[in-house]
Every structure is written in structure tokens, then in C-alpha cells.
């Protein structure tokens, strides 16, 4: 099989007839072709007067050696193979704490190996989460155990469901294939910037859980991890609370995949002398523009073409004050959502459905912060810094989970907003006008003013005065790292596998899933043999 990349096609091209594209673009006659598969598709909008697709094709054909010599951007392609060996003679079942992307794929790999994992998830199943989140967004009470951060699927379940990642790993293709098997759209297998959308991701999460259970695994919801037991420097059991009762599970292997918002777990580990370290993260606001404005800025006259979805963007500017302002988790045609998980503290995030057809597009605008900003060398100082900002945001919003919001023109001129322009905030339950200075450090506000102006030079209208800034975006990544060694185990306790975003080793759905798989593979390897 060969892969041919960089094939330019118009937006009106019928991509269901790949053989015709091979004939027209690559001059390969149909009778030579045995199979053709769309391997990659991306939008090239560098010239607004000439927006088109770039595609890659996987081709099986007669005379491939000759095609390799005559075609541009052609190379031999072999699909990566991911094998999972079978385990037996287990003394104890492995336990996974957390059922976000890392925990889910760790559980799936272990279940497929026959290890019958037990999953402890502090929140509810995805249907219970939807009800709890909707109640909170409608003005009801915050459920601190079941919300946008906690519950089946993790924080990614209430996001855009992005599957882009900066890592290269043979496991990624397998992850995408499994998601399609569980109900995700086929297009994630070939889009350059794949996403599922929160609506379709929920179904895939449920199907994955059902597969784990069908293979002998167990998923226990509303089960909050509350400690572990150790013998001779190794894990011997874990404890959890469910329905007010403490339960114990004997085990030799615990994958700790609790996510970046399980602050009580960080405090528990610190008290148990598990080695932790400070980690840099970022804080800022969510910026909302009209989706049609962003589409026009990115696609020019091609905006609205039936072959194009809502436009996305990714920006970063280095500033004279030594900071960097960058966009993160951009949600085309999406919403700003209430992402609080603790009483008296407020956080926001972004979310899109698969169609990405909501009125606004939004993105986090983040400024890097690090140990030098925390004011302490305590391992949890970043977490405490994060909490302090969220408490200020809660008060700025009126102490009732309304989010503090500002209109960009007012923020740039240093005054509190009193009315919205063309862009209306999408955050629920509601917003309250407040200056970002009420909850963000001065250097962050300075960086926002400097950086948004620079971003406006890169994307026309990005610095439009009607842009809405809603805060606080503070959960982009973990402020703590749970230190582990090359064997994926905690440096302080054998059998404890810190994993995923919460442990400081991933940043997004796919990289977290990969990390979960690596931890599962290590456990399997201890049981039987190395994963090939």
C-alpha cells in the first residue's frame, strides 16, 4: 500500500468517488486500482481567494513500485498494529480510579487482556451527569461530585470532543478506530482536526463502558477514592466511599486517573507522603465572537460553503512583558459552560456539539503562570493559587455562580461594561458585568490587552470591540505533577500508576487515552509478557 499526500481538490469535489480523483489528479487508471481510502482531509485557507481541501489517499494498486517513483508525496504505508496479550492467574484485579479518557482506555485495554479491571468513578454515569449539569446551568444547586469535571467520560464529555494531539504514537489510530466502533462519526479517522462533539461523545462513552463490563470489568459510579493501604512499599488495597460507607478492595495495581480537578486527591497524596511537584499551567478568560464573523475572517468569500464546517483557529503571541498569550480548546459554534466543581469557586470551559452550529464561537485566551507566580515552594502551591483566583471570580460574578463578563472595548479602556453589543454571552446560568482585574492578576490582564491586539492583526475582527470575555478559565491543565518513574509507577509507592492529565502527563482526550493505555500495558506486562 502507498500513501499519497498533498492532493489538492476543490470544495465541490465529490469525495465519495476516490477512484475518479485518482484518475484525474494522479493519472492512475481505475483498472489498476485495488482499493482507495481517504486517509486525511484538511482545509487550506491560507489564501482567502482560493480555499480548498488537501487530501491524502491510501492506495493499493498494481505496479506500486512504479507509482512510488512517479508520484509526488508518495510513500510506502503500513498500518500500525496494536496487539493486546491475554493474562491469566491474577492474584488481584487491577483498580482504576477515574473514568475519563485515561481511565476509560486503561480499562478497555485491561478488559480486553482479560484482567477484569475495577473502575471507581466519583461521579455518576453520563446520563446522570447530563441531568446534574443541566440542573446547575438552570440555576440549581452545584453537585460537587457530579458535574462538568467529575463523572463518566471526565471533563472531555462536556467539551468540543477534540481529538487533535501534538504527540505521535502508534496507539492513536487504534483509539480513533475504537471510538468509531463505539459510535463516533467515521470522519474522525481522516480529518486533520477531528472532533466528536459533546452530544456524540456521550454515546461513545456509554458504549465503551458496556464493552468493558461485557469483558468482565466492573464500573462503580458515585464511588469516591479516599485512600490506599501499603505493605513493604507497595500498594495492597484502595478505599472508597459510596453511599456514606467506606469499602476496601485488595489490589496490587492502581491506575490513578482522577483528572486535573480532583484537588482532594492531591491533598490526600500529599498527606500520605507521595512525591508531588509544582507544575506550570495557564489562566485567563473565554473569548466569544459571532461564528459568522470568524467564518468570514478565516474563509473569506468561501464562508458558508456547504462543504465547510464552522471555522477554527489557533493563535499564540509572545509579549514584551515576557509572557505568552495563546488560544486553547477553541470551540467553533459552541458555548461557554459552567465548569465549577467546588462550592464558592467558579470556573468556565468551552463546549460544542458535533454540528458546531451555535451562534457564537469561543476559545480560551490563556496566559502562562508558573512556580515563580505561586509565592511558595509547597508542592500544592499552584493548586492553592488556582483556588484563590476561582474564589475571586465567584465573588466577581455575584457569589451565585453567575460568571463575571466584560465587553472587550470596555476592558481595553479600563471600565466596567454596562451593556453587550452584537455578541451575547452563551454562559448559563447567567453573567454579571465585572472587570477581569477583579479576579485575574495584573500581569494576566496586561497580557490580555497586549495579546488580543496582536491577535487582531492575525485574524481580522478578533479584537472587535463587541467580543465578550467571560471568566475564569483556570482548568486548562493540572497545577500539580504526581511524580513517576520510567516504569510508570509513583516514585514513592510501587503499584501506584499516576496517569493522564491530573497526574501531569497528558493534555487532551487523545494524549490522556494514550497515557492510560501505557499504564495498562505496564500492568499487563507484569502479569504475563511485554505488549508487542
Amino acid at each position: 500500500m502507498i500513501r499519497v499526500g498533498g492532493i489538492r481538490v476543490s470544495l465541490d469535489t465529490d469525495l465519495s468517488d476516490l477512484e475518479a480523483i485518482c484518475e484525474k489528479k494522479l493519472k492512475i487508471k481505475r483498472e489498476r486500482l485495488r482499493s482507495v481510502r481517504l486517509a486525511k482531509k484538511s482545509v487550506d485557507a491560507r489564501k482567502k481567494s482560493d480555499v480548498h481541501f488537501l487530501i491524502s489517499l491510501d492506495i493499493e494498486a498494481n505496479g506500486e513500485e512504479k507509482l512510488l517513483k512517479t508520484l509526488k508525496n508518495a510513500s510506502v504505508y503500513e498500518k500500525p498494529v496494536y496487539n493486546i496479550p491475554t493474562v491469566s492467574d491474577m492474584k488481584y484485579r487491577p483498580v482504576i480510579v477515574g473514568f475519563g479518557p485515561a481511565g476509560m482506555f486503561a480499562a478497555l485495554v485491561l478488559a480486553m487482556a482479560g484482567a477484569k479491571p475495577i473502575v471507581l468513578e466519583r461521579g455518576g454515569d453520563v446520563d446522570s451527569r447530563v441531568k446534574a449539569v443541566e440542573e446547575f446551568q438552570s440555576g440549581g444547586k452545584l453537585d460537587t461530585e457530579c458535574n462538568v469535571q467529575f463523572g463518566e467520560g471526565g471533563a472531555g464529555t462536556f467539551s468540543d470532543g477534540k481529538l487533535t494531539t501534538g504527540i505521535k504514537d502508534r496507539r492513536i489510530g487504534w483509539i480513533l478506530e475504537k471510538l468509531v466502533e463505539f459510535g463516533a462519526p467515521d470522519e474522525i479517522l481522516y480529518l486533520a482536526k477531528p472532533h466528536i462533539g459533546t452530544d456524540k461523545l456521550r454515546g461513545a462513552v456509554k458504549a465503551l463502558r458496556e464493552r468493558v463490563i461485557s469483558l468482565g470489568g466492573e464500573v462503580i459510579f458515585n464511588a469516591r477514592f479516599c485512600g490506599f493501604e501499603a505493605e513493604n512499599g507497595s500498594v495492597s488495597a484502595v478505599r472508597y466511599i459510596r453511599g456514606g460507607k467506606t469499602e476496601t478492595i485488595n489490589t496490587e495495581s492502581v491506575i490513578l486517573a482522577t483528572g486535573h480537578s480532583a484537588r482532594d486527591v492531591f491533598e490526600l497524596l500529599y498527606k500520605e507522603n507521595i512525591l508531588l511537584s509544582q507544575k506550570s499551567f495557564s489562566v485567563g478568560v473565554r473569548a466569544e465572537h459571532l461564528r459568522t464573523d470568524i467564518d468570514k475572517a478565516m474563509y473569506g468569500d468561501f464562508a458558508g460553503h456547504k462543504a465547510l464546517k464552522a471555522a477554527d483557529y489557533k493563535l499564540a503571541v509572545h509579549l514584551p512583558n515576557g509572557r505568552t498569550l495563546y488560544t486553547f480548546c477553541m470551540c467553533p459554534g459552541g458555548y461557554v459552560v459552567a465548569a465549577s466543581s467546588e462550592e464558592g469557586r467558579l470556573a468556565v470551559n468551552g463546549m460544542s456539539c458535533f454540528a458546531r452550529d451555535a451562534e457564537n464561537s469561543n476559545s480560551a485566551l490563556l496566559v502562562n503562570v508558573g512556580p515563580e507566580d505561586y509565592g511558595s515552594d509547597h508542592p500544592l502551591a499552584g493548586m492553592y493559587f488556582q483556588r484563590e483566583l476561582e474564589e475571586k471570580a465567584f465573588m466577581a460574578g455575584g457569589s451565585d455562580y453567575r460568571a463575571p463578563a466584560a465587553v472587550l472595548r470596555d476592558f481595553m479602556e479600563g471600565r466596567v461594561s454596562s451593556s453587550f453589543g452584537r455578541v451575547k454571552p452563551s454562559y448559563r446560568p447567567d453573567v454579571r458585568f465585572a472587570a477581569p482585574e477583579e479576579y485575574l492578576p495584573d500581569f494576566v490582564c496586561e497580557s490580555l490587552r497586549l495579546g488580543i491586539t496582536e491577535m487582531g492583526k492575525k485574524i481580522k475582527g478578533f479584537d472587535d470591540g463587541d467580543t465578550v470575555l467571560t471568566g475564569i478559565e483556570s482548568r486548562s491543565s493540572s497545577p500539580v505533577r504526581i511524580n513517576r518513574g520510567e516504569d510508570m509507577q509513583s516514585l514513592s509507592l510501587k503499584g501506584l500508576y499516576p496517569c493522564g492529565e491530573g497526574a501531569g502527563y497528558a493534555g487532551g482526550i487523545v494524549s490522556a487515552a494514550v497515557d492510560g493505555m501505557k499504564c495498562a500495558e505496564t500492568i499487563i506486562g507484569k502479569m504475563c509478557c511485554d505488549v508487542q
Side-chain angles (χ1 to χ4, degrees):
M1 181 184 293
I2 62 173
R3 173 165 290 181
V4 185
I7 305 169
R8 172 180 166 149
V9 298
S10 73
L11 299 182
D12 295 317
T13 300
D14 180 6
L15 293 179
S16 67
D17 191 353
L18 298 178
E19 291 185 346
I21 294 173
C22 286
E23 279 195 314
K24 182 178 180 179
K25 294 289 183 178
L26 305 179
K27 309 304 179 185
I28 305 174
K29 294 182 178 180
R30 285 179 183 260
E31 53 264 30
R32 290 183 62 184
L33 298 169
R34 296 197 302 274
S35 71
V36 187
R37 183 182 73 89
L38 183 60
K40 188 175 181 181
K41 173 187 168 186
S42 61
V43 178
D44 186 344
R46 288 173 292 181
K47 293 183 179 179
K48 302 299 180 287
S49 60
D50 182 23
V51 178
H52 55 272
F53 291 129
L54 289 176
I55 65 172
S56 297
L57 298 177
D58 287 342
I59 300 171
E60 289 183 308
N62 299 326
E64 289 181 8
E65 290 185 4
K66 184 177 180 180
L67 291 175
L68 285 169
K69 295 177 181 178
T70 58
L71 293 175
K72 287 185 178 181
N73 302 316
S75 59
V76 176
Y77 176 72
E78 291 185 12
K79 182 179 178 180
V81 177
Y82 183 73
N83 294 320
I84 302 173
T86 302
V87 301
S88 59
D89 300 325
M90 298 180 300
K91 184 178 180 180
Y92 298 112
R93 297 165 68 181
V95 174
I96 301 165
V97 183
F99 204 50
M104 288 191 301
F105 276 88
L108 181 61
V109 170
L110 286 169
M112 292 176 69
K116 300 180 181 178
I118 301 172
V119 179
L120 304 178
E121 169 53 55
R122 71 188 301 163
D125 61 71
V126 71
D127 292 329
S128 298
R129 287 187 75 191
V130 170
K131 292 178 182 178
V133 169
E134 178 57 33
E135 181 180 352
F136 178 50
Q137 292 180 346
S138 299
K141 183 177 175 59
L142 170 67
D143 185 336
T144 57
E145 296 297 320
C146 189
N147 45 59
V148 164
Q149 306 295 345
F150 302 143
E152 183 174 25
T157 303
F158 291 90
S159 71
D160 185 59
K162 287 181 185 61
L163 302 174
T164 50
T165 178
I167 67 172
K168 294 185 182 297
D169 193 284
R170 63 189 174 90
R171 300 168 183 84
I172 293 173
W174 189 85
I175 291 168
L176 298 181
E177 288 176 354
K178 285 301 173 185
L179 287 172
V180 170
E181 183 181 333
F182 297 138
D186 290 350
E187 67 179 35
I188 68 172
L189 298 176
Y190 58 80
L191 288 182
K193 298 178 181 179
H195 84 108
I196 301 180
T198 185
D199 49 342
K200 293 187 179 293
L201 184 57
R202 295 169 188 171
V205 164
K206 291 166 65 174
L208 189 154
R209 179 232 303 168
E210 290 166 359
R211 177 66 57 81
V212 169
I213 293 172
S214 73
L215 293 170
E218 185 178 358
V219 181
I220 307 174
F221 292 112
N222 306 304
R224 181 167 58 85
F225 168 73
C226 64
F228 56 83
E229 297 174 8
E231 293 180 5
N232 301 319
S234 297
V235 168
S236 60
V238 295
R239 297 189 299 273
Y240 67 96
I241 298 173
R242 187 169 190 265
K245 183 180 179 182
T246 301
E247 305 281 357
T248 300
I249 302 174
N250 293 325
T251 185
E252 295 176 334
S253 303
V254 179
I255 295 178
L256 196 62
T258 50
H260 55 41
S261 295
R263 293 165 173 168
D264 56 332
V265 173
F266 293 140
E267 292 176 324
L268 184 155
L269 296 176
Y270 176 74
K271 291 178 182 177
E272 294 291 344
N273 296 313
I274 300 298
L275 185 62
L276 310 172
S277 59
Q278 295 182 346
K279 179 180 164 294
S280 298
F281 67 109
S282 302
V283 297
V285 295
R286 278 269 154 187
E288 287 193 274
H289 303 86
L290 290 178
R291 173 173 52 84
T292 51
D293 286 354
I294 294 297
D295 288 353
K296 182 69 174 177
M298 300 304 293
Y299 295 145
D301 291 340
F302 288 87
H305 191 286
K306 63 181 181 179
L308 293 173
K309 296 187 176 183
D312 64 359
Y313 56 77
K314 185 177 182 180
L315 296 171
V317 290
H318 302 291
L319 305 172
N321 64 1
R323 303 281 176 171
T324 297
L325 180 70
Y326 66 97
T327 62
F328 175 78
C329 189
M330 193 268 161
C331 297
Y335 311 88
V336 176
V337 297
S340 298
S341 59
E342 296 178 322
E343 292 183 357
R345 301 185 177 104
L346 187 137
V348 302
N349 196 6
M351 182 183 83
S352 296
C353 291
F354 177 71
R356 287 178 164 176
D357 58 358
E359 184 175 358
N360 294 346
S361 289
N362 73 81
S363 175
L365 288 178
L366 298 177
V367 178
N368 56 302
V369 296
E372 66 277 8
D373 301 306
Y374 302 158
S376 168
D377 59 2
H378 192 287
L380 302 183
M383 185 188 79
Y384 297 138
F385 177 82
Q386 194 180 48
R387 270 181 166 169
E388 180 182 354
L389 298 184
E390 291 177 6
E391 288 169 4
K392 290 180 178 179
F394 179 72
M395 291 185 285
S399 299
D400 55 6
Y401 296 105
R402 285 178 295 168
V407 176
L408 181 58
R409 68 168 53 87
D410 298 321
F411 171 62
M412 298 298 280
E413 296 176 8
R415 61 175 179 265
V416 178
S417 300
S418 58
S419 63
F420 294 109
R422 294 187 308 128
V423 185
K424 304 298 188 293
S426 61
Y427 176 92
R428 298 167 57 215
D430 201 356
V431 299
R432 177 179 181 267
F433 288 120
E437 284 86 353
E438 292 186 42
Y439 57 91
L440 288 171
D442 290 341
F443 71 82
V444 174
C445 292
E446 176 190 50
S447 299
L448 285 168
R449 288 190 174 96
L450 292 170
I452 291 173
T453 299
E454 292 302 308
M455 289 177 173
K457 297 175 183 178
K458 298 186 177 187
I459 297 179
K460 184 178 180 180
F462 193 87
D463 56 349
D464 183 275
D466 286 341
T467 302
V468 174
L469 307 178
T470 307
I472 180 173
E473 171 81 41
S474 55
R475 307 285 184 94
S476 60
S477 64
S478 177
V480 180
R481 175 167 284 116
I482 308 172
N483 299 83
R484 72 186 186 193
E486 293 291 326
D487 61 359
M488 310 295 284
Q489 297 180 78
S490 165
L491 296 176
S492 307
L493 186 65
K494 292 296 181 183
L496 180 65
Y497 296 82
C499 182
E501 285 200 42
Y505 296 101
I509 291 173
V510 172
S511 61
V514 166
D515 204 53
M517 291 172 67
K518 288 179 178 179
C519 289
E521 290 163 11
T522 304
I523 293 171
I524 293 168
K526 288 175 62 179
M527 291 179 176
C528 62
C529 60
D530 293 333
V531 175
Q532 298 178 353

